[in-house]
Amino acid sequence: MRKLAELLARVEGVTAQGGRAVSYEPLGFVWIAPAPVRRGVRTGGEGVAEALTLTAECRADARLTEGLLLRWDGADWRIALVDEAAPGRARLMLERDR
């Protein structure tokens, strides 16, 4: 089943009080075909955390880069990897913190 996902870029800034503000800039929409969600473990500088992962296929699009977000069905998924599956097609590896 295909889903229409909004593509977002994370924008960080500094508030007048010296704090940090995070907002998301819309870059457009992408039709994706997500696979079932898998549970996994993600390791990084903050230690080990449980994460949800999934793969999704879509048409190749130059806007799809690692670090951007895809939002659909009320959930935000971070693009961890973009792989060219076939000419004109892309396979995305997506992650979401649990």
Side-chain angles (χ1 to χ4, degrees):
M1 174 190 291
R2 292 185 331 147
K3 302 277 186 172
L4 183 61
E6 185 176 15
L7 183 63
L8 303 163
R10 181 182 168 119
V11 178
E12 293 188 28
V14 178
T15 65
Q17 294 79 21
R20 297 188 74 76
V22 176
S23 62
Y24 296 92
E25 178 182 333
L27 300 176
F29 292 90
V30 179
W31 282 102
I32 62 170
V37 176
R38 296 183 313 251
R39 292 176 194 244
V41 176
R42 183 172 49 87
T43 59
E46 299 157 358
V48 177
E50 186 177 359
L52 302 176
T53 62
L54 65 82
T55 59
E57 290 195 12
C58 63
R59 289 187 178 172
D61 189 328
R63 298 174 300 171
L64 295 171
T65 58
E66 296 173 11
L68 295 181
L69 294 178
L70 287 174
R71 177 180 291 162
W72 75 91
D73 291 344
D76 292 344
W77 292 85
R78 183 177 53 260
I79 299 174
L81 179 69
V82 180
D83 184 30
E84 187 175 326
R89 305 292 299 167
R91 181 175 294 124
L92 308 174
M93 298 292 293
L94 305 173
E95 292 182 339
R96 178 174 173 216
D97 293 335
R98 180 144 161 89

